[in-house]
């Protein structure tokens, strides 16, 4: 083999290796960054903050935050008190919220989603003069999933909140 052919072959091989090792970030490497993905309570909602990397610049991703919810609803009177014969119910359900996010030129998506319990009025019917109120939530088994890329992350912990309710008679 002549020197020119060896140089051409070597350069061709080097170009092939370079092309294979510098594949675009979106080629199957989408992932949530664990230390930048978290959950917290915001009022009675679950707020899920996330950062996903390894996406194609400009791609539109459908991201879903999901959790298991245990929620308590009670009838509260006009004085913001829980009557002595409190009517209440507990709901145990899977809840989620989805949104669409566009990856920046660096292939990252940064965002937040709020996951909410069902509205109190849709869960508990109260007697006249009382209002159906969400009084406690516990969110567990929290996950964030990119429905488009398939990236998934489980967020450890249990997240809870309760409303202050007085006890009195109506």
């Amino acid at each position: 083999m002549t020197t020119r052919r060896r140089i051409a072959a070597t350069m061709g091989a080097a170009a092939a290796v370079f092309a294979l090792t510098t594949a675009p970030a979106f080629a199957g490497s989408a992932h949530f960054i664990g230390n930048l993905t978290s959950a917290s309570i915001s009022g009675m909602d679950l707020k899920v903050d996330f950062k996903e990397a390894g996406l194609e610049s400009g791609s539109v991703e459908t991201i879903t935050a999901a959790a298991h919810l245990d929620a308590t609803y009670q009838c509260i009177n006009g004085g913001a008190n829980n009557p002595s014969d409190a009517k209440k119910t507990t709901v145990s359900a899977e809840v989620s919220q989805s949104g669409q996010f566009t990856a920046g030129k660096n292939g990252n998506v940064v965002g937040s989603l709020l996951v909410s319990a069902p509205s109190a009025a849709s869960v508990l019917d109260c007697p006249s003069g009382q209002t159906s109120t969400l009084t406690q939530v516990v969110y567990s088994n929290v996950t964030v999933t990119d429905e488009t890329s398939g990236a998934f992350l489980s967020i450890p912990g249990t997240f809870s909140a309760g409303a202050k309710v007085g006890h009195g008679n109506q």
Side-chain angles (χ1 to χ4, degrees), residues 55-161:
L55 300 165
E56 180 178 0
S57 174
S59 66
V60 177
E61 307 296 312
T62 300
I63 297 178
T64 301
H68 178 79
L69 167 72
D70 291 309
T72 302
Y73 298 84
Q74 294 180 299
C75 292
I76 304 299
N77 67 24
N81 290 314
N82 183 353
S84 57
D85 63 341
K87 182 176 179 184
K88 71 178 182 177
T89 190
T90 301
V91 170
S92 184
E94 302 305 313
V95 291
S96 64
Q97 181 63 47
S98 296
Q100 290 192 325
F101 300 85
T102 302
K105 64 181 179 180
N106 59 1
N108 293 339
V109 167
V110 177
S112 295
L113 289 166
L114 279 179
V115 179
S116 301
S119 72
S122 71
V123 174
L124 183 61
D125 188 30
C126 294
S128 178
Q130 296 182 13
T131 303
S132 177
T133 305
L134 175 60
T135 57
Q136 176 147 1
V137 292
V138 178
Y139 295 95
S140 58
N141 300 324
V142 179
T143 61
V144 62
T145 305
D146 184 333
E147 309 294 341
T148 309
S149 74
F152 172 87
L153 185 67
S154 180
I155 301 170
T158 299
F159 308 88
S160 62

